[in-house]
Amino acid sequence: MPSVDMPLEKLKQYQGMTPRPDDFNAYWERALKQMHAIDSDINLEAADFQVPFAECNHLYFSGTGGSRVHAKYLKPKTSRTEKHPAVLIFHGYTGRSPEWSSLLNWVAAGYSVFAMDSRGQGGLSNNTEAVTGTTWSGHIIRGLSDGPDKLLFRNIFLDTAQLARIAMGMDEVDADRVGCLGGSQGGALTLACASLEPRIKKAAPTYPFLCDYKRVWQMDLGENAYKELFYYFRAFDPTHEREDEIFRTLGYIDLQNMVPWIKAEVLMATGLIDEICPASTQFAAYNKITSKKEVVIYPDFGHENLPGFDSRVYRFMMGL
C-alpha cells in the first residue's frame, strides 16, 4: 500500500507527539468564557447574488479581540413554519468561503448554510489584533511570540464556535440538527467547531490541517502549508534553544488535544500519500475522538480531490 508515512496498522494506533499543556482545559474554558461574554453585534446585508428559492445574505459578527467576522448565510425561501437543519462550511488555508452558487445544493435540500471567512485570509473577515514578531507569513505562528492567549488560531477556533451559536439561534434553524464540514484548514476548523460547541450533531473533516505540529517537523515536512514553522525557527530560534517551549505553546491550538471533547458523529477522509497534512498527523486527532466515527481511506491519494467523498458527505449530512 502506498505511503509516505507510517503503515496503516500503525496509523490506527498513533497518538501524536506534540505535547498537551497541563492547563489546556483551563485555557479553553477561559477562552470560551471570553467568547460568551461578547456582544456579537450581528449585522445582515442582502447579497447581490439572489435566486428564486434562496435568500442570500452577508452575515457579520464581532469576535474575540474586536475583529469583525463575515460569513455567507443562505436559507430557503419557504412558507413552512417548522425549523430545519443547517450546515456550517469552513474553507482551506489562505482561502475564502465558497461561491454563492456552490452552496445552493444545501438550500435546495432545505438547509440553511453558514460559510465563514477565516479572519485575515482571503475573504471579508478582518483581523485587528496586533502581535509582536512576524506578520509576514503564516497564521499558525501569528502571536506565538506573545504567548498562548495571543495565538491567532485561538481566535479563529472561537469564531467557529461563535458562528455555530449564532446559527443555532436563528429562528428557522433546529439547534439539534446542525453539522459542519470542510477540507484541510476547513477540516481543522470543523474539528475545532465540533470540539468547542458540543451541540454540533455531525462533523465531516477532509484531511484536517493543524494537527500534531511536532510530527510534521520530525518528518521534515516544514514546507507548503507548514512552511511557517520552518521560518519561525530560522528567524526567532535558530539554534532551537526554545524548541520545547514553542511546541508546548503550539499545543494549545493542536486539534489532537481538543478533539476528545467532540460529541458529534464524525466522518473523515484521509489520503495515505498526503505530503501537505501527513496521514499520521490526521490520525493523531482521529484516534482521540471518542464519539461515533468513521474514516474513509484513500490509499493512492494525497492532498487533493478525493473521488466520491463530497457526495458521501452530502448523504451523511442528509441524516441531520
Side-chain angles (χ1 to χ4, degrees), residues 5 42 101 120 144 146 152 155 191 201 254 256 274 277 291:
D5 206 328
I42 299 166
S101 59
L144 183 56
D146 291 325
L152 177 54
N155 288 330
L191 293 176
K201 196 74 171 181
D254 190 324
Q256 64 163 327
D274 192 333
C277 298
S291 59

Side-chain angles (χ1 to χ4, degrees), residues 30-64:
R30 186 173 68 252
L32 285 168
K33 185 177 180 180
Q34 179 188 1
M35 183 200 80
H36 287 302
I38 291 171
D39 176 2
S40 295
D41 188 21
I42 299 166
N43 183 51
L44 295 178
E45 299 175 6
D48 291 338
F49 180 93
Q50 299 290 337
V51 294
F53 64 91
E55 180 181 322
C56 303
N57 295 285
H58 295 283
L59 184 155
Y60 293 89
F61 65 91
S62 294
T64 50

Side-chain angles (χ1 to χ4, degrees), residues 209 216-217 219-231 275-278:
F209 184 42
V216 172
W217 188 260
M219 292 181 69
D220 196 24
L221 288 175
E223 54 185 32
N224 300 316
Y226 285 107
K227 187 175 183 178
E228 60 205 76
L229 297 179
F230 174 76
Y231 167 75
E275 295 185 352
I276 307 296
C277 298

Side-chain angles (χ1 to χ4, degrees), residues 282-304:
Q282 298 175 49
F283 271 92
Y286 180 80
N287 291 336
K288 293 178 180 176
I289 297 171
T290 59
S291 59
K292 183 178 180 182
K293 63 183 179 179
E294 179 184 2
V295 60
V296 181
I297 303 295
Y298 285 79
D300 306 301
F301 287 79
H303 210 75
E304 58 187 305

Side-chain angles (χ1 to χ4, degrees), residues 119-142:
R119 57 170 79 187
Q121 296 187 20
L124 297 179
S125 298
N126 63 29
N127 180 53
T128 59
E129 280 203 310
V131 297
T132 302
T134 181
T135 58
W136 174 70
S137 176
H139 282 186
I140 298 172
I141 62 173
R142 191 67 54 84

